[in-house]
Amino acid sequence: MTTALLLWVLLWSLIAFALMGIDKWKAANHGWRIPEKTLFLSAILGGSLGALVGMSLFRHKTRHWSFRIGMPVILAVQAAAALGVSYWSTFVR
């Protein structure tokens, strides 16, 4: 993978991780919540690993089936796409 793509994934993983932590804190303190669409969007944009780590570390959204299944599926699709692009790029050169 290129450096730019790795930086993109790192940035979005940090954002998704932070969003999980912030949403958990807001849930515990009865504050304004981050929409689930935003949490999923941060994962889809490249932060699925950060979202999964945040879910586990903060014990947040772990009872929601959409998150328990959705986040690993997003990560698997992104990993497969990265492997596919990497594999394909060896033949294109």
Side-chain angles (χ1 to χ4, degrees):
M1 285 198 289
T2 67
T3 304
L5 183 57
L6 288 173
L7 288 174
W8 177 270
V9 169
L10 178 63
L11 174 69
W12 277 106
S13 289
L14 291 172
I15 291 169
F17 178 82
L19 287 173
M20 284 291 179
I22 292 167
D23 194 50
K24 176 64 176 193
W25 183 85
K26 288 183 176 194
N29 292 296
H30 308 291
W32 170 82
R33 302 290 302 278
I34 297 171
E36 290 184 354
K37 288 180 186 179
T38 302
L39 298 175
F40 272 110
L41 181 62
S42 67
I44 291 168
L45 290 174
S48 56
L49 185 59
L52 279 168
V53 171
M55 284 175 58
S56 177
L57 185 68
F58 302 121
R59 295 187 185 116
H60 189 52
K61 300 288 187 186
T62 56
R63 292 184 182 179
H64 295 251
W65 282 102
S66 59
F67 281 84
R68 288 179 70 179
I69 294 171
M71 291 298 176
V73 167
I74 293 169
L75 178 60
V77 168
Q78 290 172 341
L83 287 173
V85 167
S86 176
Y87 181 74
W88 180 257
S89 67
T90 60
F91 290 110
V92 174
R93 291 182 186 197

